[in-house]
Amino acid sequence: QVQLVESGGGLVQAGGSLRLSCAASGRSFSSYFMGWFRQAPGKEREFVAGISWSGGSTYYADSVKGRFAISRDNAKNTLYLQMISLNAEDTAVYYCAAPGAVRNIVPMNPKSYDYWGQGTQVTVSS
């Protein structure tokens, strides 16, 4: 059974930083594109960042460029999201996601992903 489990969320002051992790189990995702999304209360789920299987290509939402960095460790089957200079608008539940097959995907489209974690809450106090 495939599982994606996020961790690392929490309460942080504005300007602070957090590092999220997403541990995958049940299959290796070393050949798969993976992504991070977030959903704030009352808003739709939105793309945050994505990374190719090798880590050679990364994609970011404009709102997080220069502040967030996505990375992966294929040996550990783990995805990361380093977040700095956090602000109140970053408050949301953060999800990691992976497609069900190796294929070309549209990184920013949630429908490109088949597997989702349960999410980890990030709250930024101003």
Side-chain angles (χ1 to χ4, degrees):
Q1 181 180 358
V2 174
Q3 277 193 315
L4 301 176
V5 179
E6 301 95 339
S7 61
L11 175 63
V12 63
Q13 289 188 332
S17 61
L18 284 174
R19 188 192 193 204
L20 306 184
S21 299
C22 171
S25 62
R27 77 190 297 182
S28 170
F29 284 98
S30 61
S31 299
Y32 294 72
F33 191 97
M34 296 189 74
W36 285 98
F37 286 76
R38 66 186 182 187
Q39 188 166 19
K43 294 187 177 181
E44 293 188 353
R45 189 168 299 190
E46 65 172 357
F47 172 79
V48 175
I51 187 168
S52 63
W53 69 271
S54 67
S57 296
T58 56
Y59 306 81
Y60 295 95
D62 288 343
S63 59
V64 306
K65 279 181 182 175
R67 301 187 300 120
F68 290 12
I70 188 171
S71 62
R72 66 192 299 165
D73 185 335
N74 286 337
K76 294 182 179 179
N77 219 20
T78 301
L79 180 71
Y80 303 98
L81 185 68
Q82 178 68 51
M83 307 184 293
I84 65 171
S85 302
L86 287 162
N87 57 60
E89 287 69 39
D90 296 317
T91 294
V93 178
Y94 284 70
Y95 301 90
C96 66
V102 177
R103 60 176 182 263
N104 290 328
I105 69 168
V106 179
M108 293 175 284
N109 187 350
K111 295 181 179 180
S112 295
Y113 302 84
D114 302 290
Y115 299 111
W116 294 83
Q118 84 290 347
T120 185
Q121 177 71 47
V122 171
T123 302
V124 183
S125 63
S126 56

